[in-house]
Amino acid sequence: MTRKLLAFAVMLSAVFTLTSCLGDDDSEIVYPGDAAITSFALGNLKCYVTTTSSKGSDSTYTTTVTGTNYRFSIDQVNRQIYNVDSLPYGTDVAHVLCTIGSKNSSTVVIKNTTDDNLVRYVSSDSIDFSVPRQMSAYSLDGSTHVDYTVKVNVCQEKPDTFFWHVTSVEQDFAQAEHLKGFACGNQLFVITSDGEQGHIFKKTLGTDEGWQPVSWDLKQIVPADAYQNTVVRDSALFMLAGGQILRSQDGEHWAVTGRLGARQLIAASTEYLFALSGGGILRSSDNGATWSLDAIDANADLLPTRDISYCCIPSRINPEVENVVIMGSRSAEDYFDDTRAQVWNKMIEIASDDNEPWMYVNNELNAYFLPRLNSLTAVSYHGGIVALGGSGIGACTDAAHTRLYYSNDGGIFWNKESSVTLPSALESNDVMSLIVDSESNLWLICGGSGQVWSGHLTGTSSKYQTAFTE
């Protein structure tokens, strides 16, 4: 009944208005019979931000969010209006001023949250968008109306807070003596070892499929040390197995790209593969077909030989420059007194013939160093390196997984990572690996418990767009 009265009132008001304006003119007036909402934009909104002082006390202050910076899409097929980028966490959407445009000056009304009554939209009236609201556009001739559902999306997670959740528990990972994870495009791989042979598992992001075992097409078994002889370059896996360099994009089909008698395949950059040999570090620019000895600025005895992890980090200043960092430990038998990891880095100018040497990070006088840890695993994350390890090796007596380490200077200084925290329910185990996927989600693959954790760092969208107009 309310809808009918409203439509009649709109039509009657239009008739009287036009009659008074036209006087005695006998011209026939035709009123538009179609209606639609064509634009929607928010005004300024209040946002309540809570901060914690160094002493642990919380305080809240109010800031202003410019609503027109957040685009609203109007889906005329499904009759939905919504913002693609969520408003910041803490934004007050219960008291909102908005600007709405309509086709042919059709009248816009909004349905109450408590009953079916309709209230005419007025730009100066505050609207509660803490829940989805129904809006309608009525044509001037009163013959039709179009209903829309309006949703104002607000980020529900506090910015710069890290959230973990267990995605699955994998018995194949729980039973592994060693494992290591890799990301290739939209696929995640975990290579495990039972001490006698290796096994490959794969998960495709964006699907409901879990971790699936991969049967590769080579006649020999997956080597037991494959987990520590695999790197990623150009969205493909490269593995050193039986003196051959193998390449695969799906973990199943492999092609021989070269041969190498080196000790271990240790790193990759945009253009190169790197391997550890008895005399130093080898480099290949043709997928392992040919190799040359790379220069190092310190004694080769300082190179790591176990628990090696690497990161390739683009320069923040020059996109044509990247930094490759390798981290690991020396032999526990030969260098028992070591307490710190061995860290080396190399600056590479892409598409340049310049070849800078590998530089040894001498951290003997550095109070912020990376400890010598079992199963050291490191990934490039938010422009730096996040590292995690199991229990200490040799003279290093650190307990397993007590903290994450972070370096934003190529592995020179390592501080406790404050923005990323470990899951509170994490079970300590030396068998563990980190992965970062293409969406900047962090994955923690656990031996022992078999838990697979996925986590992400929340934040406010940096995209600023204007109001949508049809």
Side-chain angles (χ1 to χ4, degrees), residues 185-334:
N186 70 333
Q187 298 178 108
L188 301 181
F189 293 90
V190 171
I191 301 179
T192 67
S193 173
D194 59 15
E196 296 182 358
Q197 72 176 81
H199 305 273
I200 304 174
F201 300 87
K202 178 173 68 174
K203 177 179 176 60
T204 302
L205 299 174
T207 69
D208 294 331
E209 292 185 359
W211 293 90
Q212 303 295 325
V214 176
S215 299
W216 68 345
D217 60 350
L218 300 181
K219 294 181 179 180
Q220 70 266 34
I221 63 172
V222 180
D225 62 354
Y227 73 96
Q228 62 180 358
N229 265 302
T230 301
V231 298
V232 176
R233 191 183 78 80
D234 194 24
S235 298
L237 296 170
F238 285 84
M239 180 188 295
L240 174 59
Q244 295 179 319
I245 299 295
L246 309 176
R247 181 182 184 274
S248 175
Q249 289 185 307
D250 60 8
E252 180 178 357
H253 303 94
W254 296 79
V256 178
T257 60
R259 296 184 178 277
L260 179 64
R263 180 185 300 165
Q264 186 176 345
L265 194 61
I266 58 172
S269 69
T270 300
E271 295 183 322
Y272 303 109
L273 297 176
F274 298 98
L276 186 67
S277 70
I281 297 177
L282 301 175
R283 178 183 64 164
S284 174
S285 60
D286 52 12
N287 293 336
T290 60
W291 295 84
S292 59
L293 188 65
D294 235 3
I296 59 177
D297 74 346
N299 195 306
D301 291 341
L302 296 171
L303 288 168
T305 57
R306 55 169 290 181
D307 301 296
I308 299 176
S309 194
Y310 81 96
C311 293
C312 182
I313 309 166
S315 169
R316 296 185 179 93
I317 302 173
N318 186 348
E320 296 301 316
V321 175
E322 56 193 13
N323 190 13
V324 181
V325 183
I326 58 173
M327 302 140 278
S329 300
R330 298 193 291 183
S331 164
E333 294 76 17
D334 297 332

Side-chain angles (χ1 to χ4, degrees), residues 353-371:
D353 293 332
D354 294 340
N355 185 17
E356 297 293 330
W358 286 88
M359 296 183 294
Y360 174 63
V361 178
N362 190 341
N363 57 21
E364 289 302 321
L365 300 178
N366 181 6
Y368 302 96
F369 60 89
L370 183 64

Side-chain angles (χ1 to χ4, degrees), residues 330-340 372 393-396:
R330 298 193 291 183
S331 164
E333 294 76 17
D334 297 332
Y335 301 96
F336 179 86
D337 292 334
D338 284 357
T339 59
R340 304 167 185 232
R372 184 189 191 194
I393 301 171
C396 179

Side-chain angles (χ1 to χ4, degrees), residues 7-88:
F8 179 77
V10 170
M11 181 176 66
L12 193 62
S13 174
V15 170
F16 282 136
T17 300
L18 290 174
T19 300
S20 62
C21 293
L22 296 175
D24 295 330
D25 197 328
D26 293 332
S27 300
E28 182 180 357
I29 306 301
V30 178
Y31 302 104
D34 53 355
I37 293 177
T38 57
S39 65
F40 186 97
L42 300 178
N44 291 340
L45 305 98
K46 291 182 178 179
C47 183
Y48 300 96
V49 181
T50 301
T51 60
T52 303
S53 69
S54 58
K55 297 181 179 180
S57 59
D58 292 338
S59 60
T60 302
Y61 65 93
T62 304
T63 186
T64 300
V65 174
T66 303
T68 53
N69 285 340
Y70 294 83
R71 172 183 175 177
F72 274 76
S73 295
I74 301 180
D75 183 347
Q76 298 290 4
V77 176
N78 297 305
R79 306 303 185 192
Q80 294 183 345
I81 302 173
Y82 58 93
N83 51 318
V84 177
D85 296 319
S86 296
L87 294 165

Side-chain angles (χ1 to χ4, degrees), residues 298-448:
N299 195 306
D301 291 341
L302 296 171
L303 288 168
T305 57
R306 55 169 290 181
D307 301 296
I308 299 176
S309 194
Y310 81 96
C311 293
C312 182
I313 309 166
S315 169
R316 296 185 179 93
I317 302 173
N318 186 348
E320 296 301 316
V321 175
E322 56 193 13
N323 190 13
V324 181
V325 183
I326 58 173
M327 302 140 278
S329 300
R330 298 193 291 183
S331 164
E333 294 76 17
D334 297 332
Y335 301 96
F336 179 86
D337 292 334
D338 284 357
T339 59
R340 304 167 185 232
Q342 307 299 307
V343 181
W344 292 72
N345 61 39
K346 179 183 178 70
M347 297 297 296
I348 300 175
E349 187 173 351
I350 301 173
S352 171
D353 293 332
D354 294 340
N355 185 17
E356 297 293 330
W358 286 88
M359 296 183 294
Y360 174 63
V361 178
N362 190 341
N363 57 21
E364 289 302 321
L365 300 178
N366 181 6
Y368 302 96
F369 60 89
L370 183 64
R372 184 189 191 194
L373 303 171
N374 272 299
S375 301
L376 183 65
T377 177
V379 291
S380 176
Y381 197 67
H382 284 277
I385 305 171
V386 173
L388 175 67
S391 57
I393 301 171
C396 179
T397 58
D398 288 19
H401 311 119
T402 55
R403 57 181 282 188
L404 288 164
Y405 294 86
Y406 180 76
S407 174
N408 63 359
D409 57 10
I412 300 173
F413 291 96
W414 296 85
N415 297 300
K416 183 177 181 181
E417 172 56 71
S418 58
S419 60
V420 181
T421 56
L422 290 171
S424 57
L426 179 66
E427 296 183 16
S428 179
N429 190 288
D430 276 352
V431 182
M432 195 168 289
S433 183
L434 291 172
I435 314 174
V436 174
D437 67 23
S438 56
E439 299 296 327
S440 294
N441 296 307
L442 196 61
W443 294 76
L444 185 54
I445 314 298
C446 302

